[in-house]
Amino acid sequence: MLGPAPASGLQGSIVAAGAAAGSTGGGDVASTAGTPATSAAGLDVLRQARDHSAGPWAVSVPPGRSGLERVEESCLAVADGRTGIRGSVEENGAASDPAVLAAGVYEREPDGTERLVEAPAWTALDLAGSPGPGVRVLDLRTGAVFRTVERDGHPLFHSVHWLCLARPGTGVMVAEAAEWIAARLEPGEHLDSVSVPSSLGSVIEVASATQVVPARSEGVGEGSDGGGAALVTRLVGVAAGRRTRTMRDDPTRLVGHARHAGPAELWDEQVAAWARRWDVADVEVVGDEELTRSVRFGLFHMMASVASRGEAAVGARGMTGPAYDGHVFWDADVFVLPFLAATWPRSARAILEYRIRRLPAARAAAARAGLAGARFPWESADDGTDVTPGSGVDEAGRTVPILTGQEEEHIGADVGWAAWQLAAWAGSWRFLDGPGAPLVVEPARYFEHRMAVDADGTAHLRGMIGPDEYHEHVDDNAYTNLMVSWLLRRAAEVGDRRPDAVVPGEPARWRTMARSLVDGYDAGDGTHEQFAGYGGLEDLLVAQIGTPPLAADLVLGRDRLMGSQIIKQADVLMAHLLIPDGIGRGTLASDMDRYLPRTAHGSSLSPAVHAALLARLGRTAEARSLLELATRIDLDDLTGTTAGGLHLATFGGVWQALVTGFAGIRVTGPDDPALVVDPRLPADWSELRIRLQWHGRRLALSCRNDGVHVGTDRLVAVSVGGGTVIAVHPPGRWVPSGRTGGGTGREEAT
């Protein structure tokens, strides 16, 4: 659906004849006379944006596609970590859903639902006699959206807009229009004093300064005389949060700073800021430009969606759309955070800060259940209380209960795992010894009291929902129990280091409970039973009902589905992805053979998880197919839900598939003595290049099946393909694989 920018579609500036028209609007609008310097600066920004908007870093939307406007708006959304704007055309339209969204700014509806507050899009222009959508391009290197409209080979309209990564809350738009458009050009909705309050005490405030001047010839493309074209420059300030003295920024002040800098300086800052991010986050599949572009598309949106300081409420769709009401799920902790922990730890820390500040609500939820510790909500929004809907409507139009808020309790272990990930990538106990300790200890305390111990000494967690979600109220879900067992051991380690964070005797009890908690392992066939009684359900394979990905609940109906072995997404296999050191050694292959044929991939999370694990097994052709499926879920709107926003967790899963699957990178804890890399690449991938940070080192890895070139800025210890640990000095060296023959290999012992 969306693809690369056309090689010749973004050439030149607007060429038009006649008198330029000026107009007023917004907060601070200049006269129509303008100045040559102002015009030249804006045109120069447009030209530079055009030059960036092509090649393997650009994702384009071709013109003339009716019915896909909202999908395109999601894909072309941009953000600065705190606020975002959907990628609507400037004139909007009946099919558009333009909006400004801010992370963590929620409204409570009369029915108790909490959803993201939406403010007007600050890119609006009144283009009477609309030129048409033209070609629009998201430049992943700069976070800017560029639009060009041509008619009969003549350029009519160009625009570029972005949110400043280096100045969160500051937006810039520059547009150039030919005479027949410019003669009726209006700056659109007046944004000098827009305030959208929330009943929860938060607010989004927008201020802007708009200038309309003749498009002077300085800086215009070759052969242009400037003619009657007009140039619009809009500088925007967006402030969001609690309406208190601590609200981070005043939008008018942000606009003032932006005016002082000017669009050219703001553009240079934007280019530099994104270059710094990509320098530690880029992933490239050498020889496959389209796959690389699709991967970068996801990495860009994850980086744009998470702030680098304070707290980050990362909803399932980020700030790209309103789906799921902006609620925070395990998506943020398990899928998005690992990428940031390995590339931009400050943003990973902000995700965890969101959980830390909501510990009082989690403790209160546990207390209401008569238990100790903290019970994190399945869906979280403003203050950390559970906002999961209590019911929904099924495919037959019946109202059915939604039990995830009551039973999908693995979220507590997921949060603890996320805290451990930050420490593991950093190679430091500092966070876990300090503010992160309760994120591990408090859920462990809750699960200790939540589980039941039978007369034979085995411990159980009953009445649960695992990641599968097609099966409710099950006992001893393997993923949940394995994660909780892992969590109890990690909490004991934290307690050993921080005796003041635990009650005397807790670490010893947690280690005992971890050993006692059943994990569903069957020594007879070498697999983990997904939950107690799963093997007795109707033995149905996905191939018998359709071709995945598919929504099996719509095919089979709710009752038959719950009585079958068909599962929605990785469940047992999810434990293999997250805690390979906490699940039976050598069981990945047998669990894969059992569950993959029964997996409908009814969740966008599922394909990438399986891709990661298939790559670890050396089944690289299957892994690549599922990886490519995952990268296209939003770009091709495979689920029909992209109009509501992009699937950030899918993007995080793609990164994990490439890094922990195909590259075989392992991190287990803060005390890892060496970076472990074990590439398993498809035969037609010449190289997989990954940039990341590990234990404070900035690394550039060029992975092949026979070894890895490790680029580093500091001395680093590396083990490749199970080989001996090698010390790599800056700037780096080639490290051969320790695998005999250097092939793709088979499953390693996990």
Side-chain angles (χ1 to χ4, degrees):
M1 177 182 292
L2 277 72
S8 59
L10 300 171
Q11 304 300 315
S13 279
I14 299 296
V15 180
S23 180
T24 61
D28 187 0
V29 184
S31 69
T32 59
T35 65
T38 301
S39 178
L43 291 169
D44 186 57
V45 167
L46 273 172
R47 185 175 64 250
Q48 291 188 60
R50 174 202 67 204
D51 293 342
H52 277 76
S53 299
W57 290 89
V59 175
S60 73
V61 173
R65 306 188 312 158
S66 177
L68 296 173
E69 291 86 354
R70 296 188 181 188
V71 172
E72 296 169 356
E73 289 170 352
S74 296
C75 291
L76 299 179
V78 293
D80 59 20
R82 285 169 41 201
T83 63
I85 183 168
R86 284 171 57 80
S88 310
V89 295
E90 286 82 356
E91 61 272 30
N92 297 324
S96 293
D97 185 21
V100 167
L101 300 169
V105 179
Y106 297 97
E107 172 68 273
R108 181 173 292 150
E109 302 295 333
D111 63 359
T113 302
E114 292 185 17
R115 56 174 50 96
L116 284 176
V117 173
E118 298 185 21
W122 46 261
T123 50
L125 291 174
D126 293 335
L127 298 175
S130 171
V135 175
R136 290 181 292 155
V137 181
L138 169 62
D139 177 34
L140 304 173
R141 280 181 301 181
T142 63
V145 175
F146 185 80
R147 178 186 178 193
T148 184
V149 183
E150 295 182 349
R151 180 167 298 179
D152 299 327
H154 299 290
L156 300 175
F157 181 81
H158 281 179
S159 69
V160 64
H161 71 266
W162 70 89
L163 276 160
C164 298
L165 190 65
R167 301 174 183 234
T170 300
V172 181
M173 181 181 72
V174 181
E176 184 187 16
E179 178 189 9
W180 73 274
I181 301 171
R184 294 176 295 278
L185 187 68
E186 298 288 340
E189 196 164 0
H190 288 239
L191 297 172
D192 54 309
S193 182
V194 170
S195 179
V196 183
S198 158
S199 60
L200 293 170
S202 296
V203 65
I204 300 177
E205 295 180 347
V206 183
S208 71
T210 303
Q211 183 183 64
V212 183
V213 299
R216 304 285 185 171
S217 60
E218 294 86 347
V220 180
E222 183 178 356
S224 173
D225 60 4
L231 183 77
V232 178
T233 302
R234 176 174 291 160
L235 304 175
V236 180
V238 183
R242 298 285 181 187
R243 183 179 267 158
T244 66
R245 293 180 181 177
T246 61
M247 194 164 98
R248 189 179 299 278
D249 287 307
D250 172 74
T252 303
R253 183 176 64 84
L254 291 174
V255 171
H257 290 323
R259 292 184 65 188
H260 179 74
E265 182 176 329
L266 294 172
W267 173 257
D268 290 343
E269 287 181 359
Q270 181 77 348
V271 172
W274 273 106
R276 287 191 293 271
R277 294 300 297 268
W278 284 113
D279 188 53
V280 292
D282 189 30
V283 175
E284 179 184 5
V285 179
V286 177
D288 194 330
E289 183 174 296
E290 188 53 43
L291 178 57
T292 297
R293 185 194 331 274
S294 300
V295 170
R296 286 171 173 164
F297 174 78
L299 304 185
F300 165 79
H301 280 293
M302 284 194 291
M303 287 188 280
S305 297
V306 188
S308 294
R309 55 180 177 171
E311 69 172 42
V314 183
R317 306 299 181 92
M319 291 171 282
T320 67
Y324 290 111
D325 296 326
H327 293 175
V328 179
F329 294 76
W330 72 322
D331 302 43
D333 309 284
V334 169
F335 291 94
V336 177
L337 181 138
F339 162 68
L340 295 169
T343 60
W344 205 254
R346 287 181 290 174
S347 290
R349 175 66 176 81
I351 290 176
L352 294 171
E353 183 64 24
Y354 172 85
R355 296 297 189 184
I356 290 170
R357 296 184 186 184
R358 284 152 187 81
L359 272 166
R363 293 186 180 109
R368 284 194 297 273
L371 301 174
R375 184 189 189 276
F376 284 101
W378 180 242
E379 297 185 34
S380 180
D382 183 67
D383 64 1
T385 56
D386 196 296
V387 291
T388 309
S391 63
V393 179
D394 70 5
E395 69 281 357
R398 301 172 299 183
T399 298
V400 295
I402 295 175
L403 301 180
T404 52
Q406 302 171 42
E407 297 185 357
E408 199 152 356
E409 296 192 71
H410 63 76
I411 180 67
D414 301 332
V415 170
W417 180 87
W420 197 267
Q421 281 285 294
L422 178 59
W425 281 101
S428 169
W429 282 90
R430 181 177 178 182
F431 177 68
L432 291 175
D433 283 344
L439 297 182
V440 179
V441 168
E442 295 278 25
R445 188 171 287 142
Y446 171 80
F447 283 117
E448 178 196 357
H449 292 83
R450 171 69 170 80
M451 65 181 66
V453 180
D454 287 355
D456 63 359
T458 58
H460 306 267
L461 287 168
R462 299 189 169 104
M464 293 289 190
I465 294 176
D468 165 25
E469 294 183 345
Y470 281 166
H471 298 88
E472 302 169 340
H473 203 69
V474 303
D475 296 339
D476 291 325
N477 169 251
Y479 170 81
T480 302
N481 285 18
L482 285 162
M483 287 292 292
V484 169
S485 179
W486 177 91
L487 177 74
L488 290 167
R489 291 184 174 94
R490 301 295 84 78
E493 290 184 56
V494 172
D496 291 342
R497 296 176 59 89
R498 281 277 315 275
D500 61 315
V502 297
V503 175
E506 277 187 323
R509 289 204 311 274
W510 290 338
R511 289 187 171 99
T512 298
M513 298 299 282
R515 291 190 298 269
S516 302
L517 190 57
V518 301
D519 62 8
Y521 179 66
D522 182 347
D525 63 9
T527 69
H528 295 82
E529 187 175 35
Q530 183 171 302
F531 53 83
Y534 174 85
L537 301 178
E538 181 185 2
D539 190 5
L540 196 60
L541 305 181
V542 172
Q544 296 172 256
I545 63 171
T547 302
L550 59 83
D553 52 337
L554 300 182
V555 177
L556 295 177
R558 177 182 174 88
D559 294 338
R560 186 183 179 194
L561 177 64
M562 289 194 294
S564 78
Q565 292 184 10
I566 298 294
I567 62 176
K568 182 178 181 180
Q569 59 184 311
D571 196 300
V572 171
L573 292 173
M574 191 72 196
H576 282 282
L577 178 71
L578 300 188
I579 52 170
D581 59 325
I583 192 168
R585 297 175 63 84
T587 60
L588 174 55
S590 53
D591 280 335
M592 179 67 72
D593 289 342
R594 180 176 187 179
Y595 292 107
L596 179 58
R598 293 166 172 81
T599 303
H601 299 305
S603 165
S604 63
L605 306 179
S606 189
V609 172
H610 287 83
L613 298 173
L614 287 165
R616 290 185 191 176
L617 290 170
R619 295 164 58 175
T620 56
E622 295 172 83
R624 178 180 179 172
S625 177
L626 285 171
L627 174 74
E628 291 178 345
L629 172 65
T631 65
R632 303 305 301 182
I633 279 174
D634 282 318
L635 289 170
D636 292 340
D637 192 22
L638 297 181
T639 64
T641 59
T642 299
L646 304 178
H647 297 77
L648 293 192
T650 302
F651 302 148
V654 166
W655 182 86
Q656 291 187 56
L658 289 163
V659 172
T660 73
F662 290 97
I665 294 174
R666 299 286 190 278
V667 296
T668 59
D671 298 325
D672 288 349
L675 180 69
V676 175
V677 189
D678 191 7
R680 311 289 173 99
L681 308 186
D684 58 344
W685 285 12
S686 61
E687 201 167 85
L688 173 60
R689 296 176 181 170
I690 298 171
R691 290 179 174 269
L692 47 75
Q693 301 186 73
W694 178 81
H695 288 209
R697 280 83 171 160
R698 295 161 64 96
L699 304 177
L701 307 176
S702 297
C703 304
R704 299 186 344 209
N705 282 322
D706 58 347
V708 178
H709 186 277
V710 181
T712 180
D713 64 341
R714 291 171 53 195
L715 176 66
V716 62
V718 179
S719 171
V720 175
T724 59
V725 175
I726 294 175
V728 178
H729 295 266
R733 58 162 289 186
W734 171 259
V735 182
S737 173
R739 287 198 306 271
T740 302
T744 58
R746 299 291 182 185
E747 177 196 4
E748 81 245 40
T750 56

